[in-house]
Each structure stands twice: as structure tokens, then as C-alpha cells.
Amino acid sequence: TETRFIIEGGGQPNYPLTDAARTTREAWDPLDPSNPFLTCTPKGMPIIMQQPNPVEFVDEGEVILFRMEEFDTVRRIAMTAEVSTQRDPPTRLGHSVGRWEENALVVETTGIDWSYFDQNGLRQTDAVETLERFMLDDDGSRLDYEVVVTDPGLFTEPVMLSKSWRWVPGDEVLPFDCTESRE
């Protein structure tokens, strides 16, 4: 499993930030006790997709569940308009609607109620939306993933990130046990 989003050209990300996002990032204190990345707080979209642990899809017909080991996260992807939850209140994972385009599962997610784009002080707004593509390679041993993140309060243009998961025989999604260290 690859453990982080791949940034084109490597190195530190050089996102097309708005002035407000740049100011917020510069004021970021990663050691602030309210930083959710220092605790066992489940992550939201899209950063939860960066997690390196095993994942699996469960096809339930009109809904596909995307199970991730980290924080026992389960994303619900509605595959028909009738099952869509677009009008429901925002959640940390948002509301996902999927469709098939040839051999790719394409997922649009809106209604994301999670403040952090990354662990470096970039705060996303309630206007954030993602467009994801999940594609198996030819022999089924790798799941390639691309996400385009659009947030006019954070970026001056959409940002595309990618990663992949490798299939490991016998690997499975296990219960997640997050233990906060206390000194």
C-alpha cells in the first residue's frame, strides 16, 4: 500500500491557494491541542482517502460500501438517484453518488462537513467537492485512485491527487484500535 497522495513532480505540495488559505496555513500550529490529527478523531473527506490501511468495496446493489480500516470508516456510495442523500445534512464523509464509466467507478461527493484538507493547516470550506475515480489495473493487483478537489475558498483552481492500493493476499479490513497516548 502506498501511504500518501502522490504529488506531481514530488516534494512538498504547491497548491494553488487563495490568499485566505495561505494566511490560515501560515497561522497553523500543529501542536495546538484542538488539532484533530493528534487525537483519535476520525478523519473526514478527502484526507481519509490518504490512509494506507486495507480497504474493500461491498456491493449492495443500489449502494456500494467502501470500507477502510482506519477508524472503521465506511463510506456509502449511492449508485442510483433514488438512493442519493444529497439533501441530507452534511457529514464528515459527505454524500457520495457513484456511476460506472467503462471500468472505472466515478464518485462525486458533496456535503462534506470536515474542516481539514490536510495535516498542514489547510482548512477547506463547506463548498468543498470531490470527484474520484477508482480503477483496477489489468491484472487486478492494484487499485488506482484519483481525486479532483474543488473548493473556491481554498484553491484558485481544482487540485488533483492520486495514489494506489496494492492487493496483498490474505490482507483484510480489521477492527481499528486507536489509543491516545497520555503523558
Side-chain angles (χ1 to χ4, degrees):
T1 302
E2 296 178 21
T3 60
R4 66 182 188 91
F5 283 120
I6 298 169
I7 308 301
E8 188 173 320
Q12 292 298 315
N14 186 21
Y15 298 121
L17 299 177
T18 63
D19 290 339
R22 204 174 276 99
T23 300
T24 301
R25 181 180 63 184
E26 289 168 4
W28 171 250
D29 176 4
L31 300 179
D32 184 315
S34 67
N35 180 348
F37 300 106
L38 299 177
T39 65
C40 287
T41 302
K43 299 173 191 165
M45 279 293 291
I47 195 169
I48 188 63
M49 297 305 292
Q50 186 175 351
Q51 65 87 34
N53 302 308
V55 299
E56 74 175 342
F57 288 97
V58 179
D59 187 349
E60 295 190 339
E62 293 184 343
V63 171
I64 293 177
L65 302 179
F66 183 62
R67 296 185 58 233
M68 294 175 263
E69 187 170 294
E70 189 165 320
F71 295 109
D72 302 310
T73 301
V74 179
R75 288 186 57 200
R76 184 178 183 274
I77 303 167
M79 295 301 290
T80 65
E82 293 79 38
V83 182
S84 173
T85 57
Q86 293 286 336
R87 289 184 221 111
D88 288 348
T91 70
R92 71 182 169 86
L93 299 175
H95 305 296
S96 300
V97 178
R99 65 183 181 277
W100 291 101
E101 289 182 3
E102 297 181 16
N103 292 327
L105 175 60
V106 177
V107 181
E108 296 180 52
T109 302
T110 59
I112 299 169
D113 184 18
W114 175 254
S115 297
Y116 298 92
F117 175 75
D118 68 6
Q119 296 186 40
N120 298 309
L122 290 181
R123 303 285 300 248
Q124 57 196 26
T125 71
D126 59 2
V128 65
E129 296 182 359
T130 65
L131 178 64
E132 303 162 284
R133 295 180 65 80
F134 296 89
M135 302 146 296
L136 279 176
D137 69 346
D138 290 338
D139 68 2
S141 66
R142 186 182 71 236
L143 177 65
D144 293 322
Y145 174 74
E146 297 175 352
V147 60
V148 176
V149 181
T150 304
D151 183 344
L154 180 59
F155 302 122
T156 59
E157 62 186 63
V159 168
M160 205 256 314
L161 303 167
S162 63
K163 69 171 280 176
S164 62
W165 289 272
R166 294 248 178 228
W167 180 67
V168 177
D171 222 2
E172 60 186 89
V173 176
L174 298 173
F176 190 73
D177 183 22
C178 185
T179 306
E180 293 186 36
S181 62
R182 305 207 190 272
E183 294 183 29

